[in-house]
Amino acid sequence: MNHVEARPSRVAQQELVEAALSLRPLLRKNMAEADAARRVPESTIKALQDAGLWKAQTPRRFGGHEVPLATKMEISAALGMGCGSTSWVFFIITICAWLASLHCDKAQRDIWGENPDARVCGVLPPWSSSKKVTGGYEVTGKWAFSSGCYHADWAVLGIPMVDAQGNKFDDGLALIPMR
């Protein structure tokens, strides 16, 4: 018999959508500041945190909601009714949390084990260089802009996968702390 973990109930998912809708007045008030600063204001970031929205796609075992993509899209649309920039940053950070949740158990514990509120941004193109070293890769580079990077604790970054001689054989993703 296959065991499938239950998703949050539709009621719980709807509560997250309603929480996003309730933020419209704040998001509308902060929209001009977001546009001028080219980043979501901290008061908006905190409001999404307080509403539990950043945990939309964080693994349940770290206190997240692990909502299906359809619910995440509903939340994003609800946020977009108040501020398109906030909706975009929410979508990017939560999809990057989902990407991070696909990594091994140790990586997930590194991200959310001590900080269940950790947020993850990302840039997927491999705009860096890497070198094969004992136990993994040494990565160096600069990536283009990453929506939400000012509010993230970790980044999912595209890297070239190379062999011991430095020959690229594929592209991959590295989880790198923002510090």
Side-chain angles (χ1 to χ4, degrees):
M1 177 165 120
N2 289 338
H3 172 73
V4 177
E5 275 191 49
R7 292 277 184 214
S9 72
R10 187 63 199 145
V11 171
Q13 292 175 49
Q14 191 57 40
E15 288 171 359
L16 292 171
V17 174
E18 289 169 11
L21 287 169
S22 75
L23 295 175
R24 279 186 296 183
L26 173 69
L27 301 181
R28 286 182 180 147
K29 179 175 102 32
N30 289 349
M31 187 171 25
E33 181 184 345
D35 288 345
R38 300 181 54 89
R39 71 175 73 169
V40 176
E42 284 303 318
S43 60
T44 299
I45 297 297
K46 183 175 180 344
L48 270 72
Q49 178 83 24
D50 292 347
L53 298 177
W54 290 123
K55 293 184 174 193
Q57 293 200 289
T58 299
R60 224 175 343 278
R61 66 193 180 108
F62 297 109
H65 304 297
E66 244 182 85
V67 300
L69 182 59
T71 301
K72 179 184 152 153
M73 296 302 294
E74 288 180 62
I75 295 168
S76 190
L79 293 171
M81 291 178 195
C83 175
S85 298
T86 298
S87 174
W88 175 254
V89 168
F90 166 81
F91 188 87
I92 295 299
I93 285 179
T94 55
I95 201 72
C96 290
W98 174 77
L99 281 171
S101 76
L102 300 176
H103 284 75
C104 69
D105 179 67
K106 181 187 179 321
Q108 291 180 42
R109 281 185 280 115
D110 286 349
I111 295 169
W112 294 293
E114 291 184 22
N115 181 9
D117 293 321
R119 292 184 289 268
V120 184
C121 67
V123 180
L124 303 185
W127 295 328
S128 63
S129 61
S130 63
K131 180 172 118 179
K132 184 85 170 135
V133 296
T134 304
Y137 288 87
E138 182 179 294
V139 178
T140 327
K142 289 186 178 185
W143 290 261
F145 63 89
S146 174
S147 298
C149 66
Y150 293 112
H151 312 293
D153 304 288
W154 287 80
V156 173
L157 300 172
I159 65 167
M161 305 294 290
V162 297
D163 61 23
Q165 291 74 41
N167 301 309
K168 180 179 174 180
F169 62 87
D170 204 352
D171 293 319
L173 296 175
L175 285 168
I176 300 176
M178 291 297 285
R179 67 182 186 284

